Every structure is written in C-alpha cells, then in structure tokens.
Amino acid sequence: DGGITQSPKYLFRKEGQNVTLSCEQNLNHDAMYWYRQDPGQGLRLIYYSQIVNDFQKGDIAEGYSVSREKKESFPLTVTSAQKNPTAFYLCASSSRGGGYEQYFGPGTRLTVT
Amino acid sequence: AQTVTQSQPEMSVQEAETVTLSCTYDTSESDYYLFWYKQPPSRQMILVIRQEAYKQQNATENRFSVNFQKAAKSFSLKISDSQLGDAAMYFCAYKGYMNYGGSQGNLIFGKGTKLSVKP
C-alpha cells in the first residue's frame, strides 16, 4: 500500500537535545512538507521541499532543520534552539504543480521536558 | 498574503441532520484551489473535498458538498445525514496556483472547527 510513514508516534526528549523525526513516502511524490500543529493554531508550515536536494523555509522554520537526499525521505530535526518544541508534527507529500492535494502521515507527538 | 478564517471554533449536530461549516479566505489571485480536510481523534488528516476556483460548479463527495462563492471568497462545507464517524476537527485550506516553484503553491490552513455529533 502506498502512503506516508512517520516514526515514532510518540517521542520524548530532554530539553537541550536535538531530535530527528522521520518521514518516508512511497507515493513517488516530488514535494514533501513538514507542519507543526498546536491546539487552536491549525497547521503551520515549517519546511517544504519540491525536489530532491532542495528545500525552503516555511512560516516557522527557526529552530528546525531538514534534509532531502532521497525522494522518499524528508527528515526533520528539532534543534535545541527551538524554544517551544513540544507539539504534534505532521509530514505530507504531493505531486508538484496544479491543484494536487497533500497526503498526510499519521504524525509524531514530540514532548520535550 | 493569503489568509483563511474559520469563524466557528466548535459546532454540534444531531445524528442524521445537516450541518454547515463556514470558511472565508482572502486572496488577490484568480486561480487557486480550496480544500476541506478532516482530522478525527486519531489525528490522521484526511482529504474530504476539493474545489478548483475556475469551476463554477460546487464540488460534491457523497454526503459532503461545498458552497463556493468566489466573489464573496466563501467556501462552506455541508455535511448531510451526519454520522457519528463525522465527529472530528475540520480544516479549510487554500492553495494558490503553483507554477512549479515558489511558495505560492503551499497550503494555508484555517484554525479549524471541532464538530461534535450527538446520537
């Protein structure tokens, strides 16, 4: 079955540690996205990549980093510079161009204490 | 910059009845796309329905339909014969016309409407 996987579902880290969230897709999509979801805030775009080896900052990129070395993978690193990292993180992918919808993974809940 | 507004943080509907969720958006573009996504308690985002701005006909998917008013920049979602499984957060989203580059093709989400369905 084609889809997007995110692992792990729940992640716990101590403050000051970097943590990497995994996102893999087998939909053959060129574009991939990372969103952060907080209560009452909807989804906010962190980073996006429209093609391998290229990515762009979204609306709230500070304290985050990404890489796109393979078409299937778009890992997100939450660095210690991110002031409020506890949140629900969603990865998505889509075909490029036009009105193609984004398909979402199941998400990762990150808790930093 | 484009914005999406969902003015109803919470809504409630009786099972088997009809409910309408509101969404308005602001844009200076003439070509764009609009979506409704559903997020049940599992938190998996699921596409409910999409609308191309150049189409005058309102999109329909089974019990879900939209009322797209381009001049008013309004995009409401109507759920008919509501079922318990319809209980979820519903997000309205805007996507500009994307010409294979730039951020204008990214999704912009509203803050969501939480729908409860009473048995």
Side-chain angles (χ1 to χ4, degrees):
Chain A
D1 283 338
I4 302 174
T5 57
Q6 291 185 245
S7 60
K9 191 172 178 66
Y10 299 96
L11 193 53
F12 298 88
R13 279 295 182 270
K14 294 289 187 186
E15 197 172 322
Q17 293 179 336
N18 291 354
V19 59
T20 297
L21 280 60
S22 167
C23 177
E24 303 277 335
Q25 56 99 358
N26 61 5
L27 299 168
N28 200 33
H29 286 162
D30 286 310
M32 297 187 73
Y33 311 82
W34 273 106
Y35 294 91
R36 171 180 172 139
Q37 187 176 22
D38 296 284
Q41 291 290 330
L43 276 70
R44 292 183 291 170
L45 183 64
I46 304 172
Y47 266 98
Y48 64 99
S49 167
Q50 293 174 2
I51 200 164
V52 175
N53 292 323
D54 184 60
F55 49 84
Q56 306 295 330
K57 292 181 179 180
D59 300 319
I60 56 166
E62 186 175 348
Y64 299 97
S65 66
V66 294
S67 63
R68 187 84 189 277
E69 297 175 2
K70 298 188 299 180
K71 187 175 185 178
E72 304 78 20
S73 178
F74 191 42
L76 173 74
T77 297
V78 184
T79 75
S80 56
Q82 168 49 233
K83 292 189 170 73
N84 296 297
T86 295
F88 187 66
Y89 291 88
L90 282 158
C91 178
S93 70
S94 73
S95 296
R96 290 179 68 202
Y100 294 109
E101 59 262 33
Q102 293 183 15
Y103 294 83
F104 286 81
T108 292
R109 171 68 183 177
L110 173 65
T111 302
V112 177
T113 57
Chain B
Q2 294 82 9
T3 59
V4 176
T5 302
Q6 293 179 249
S7 59
Q8 307 151 315
E10 296 188 26
M11 293 279 287
S12 181
V13 64
Q14 204 72 32
E15 195 175 6
E17 294 189 347
T18 296
V19 64
T20 298
L21 308 183
S22 301
C23 173
T24 58
Y25 57 95
D26 188 26
T27 184
S28 58
E29 298 177 330
S30 58
D31 291 328
Y32 50 88
Y33 307 88
L34 296 164
F35 303 85
W36 278 98
Y37 279 89
K38 169 185 177 181
Q39 188 180 41
S42 68
R43 305 198 78 171
Q44 174 77 54
M45 293 284 283
I46 303 162
L47 178 69
V48 175
I49 200 165
R50 54 173 280 166
Q51 174 81 43
E52 291 86 349
Y54 63 85
K55 289 186 178 179
Q56 291 186 338
Q57 187 173 5
N58 290 323
T60 299
E61 287 288 339
N62 301 313
R63 299 182 294 108
F64 299 86
S65 62
V66 298
N67 184 6
F68 173 49
Q69 301 289 330
K70 191 173 183 179
K73 296 179 183 175
S74 171
F75 183 59
S76 60
L77 175 69
K78 185 172 84 170
I79 306 174
S80 304
D81 185 25
S82 296
Q83 300 175 359
L84 295 177
D86 295 334
M89 284 290 290
Y90 285 83
F91 292 95
C92 178
Y94 168 100
K95 183 179 184 183
Y97 178 77
M98 181 178 173
N99 198 13
Y100 287 98
S103 65
Q104 67 270 26
N106 292 332
L107 278 176
I108 299 168
F109 286 88
K111 293 187 176 182
T113 296
K114 183 176 181 180
L115 178 66
S116 302
V117 181
K118 297 178 181 176

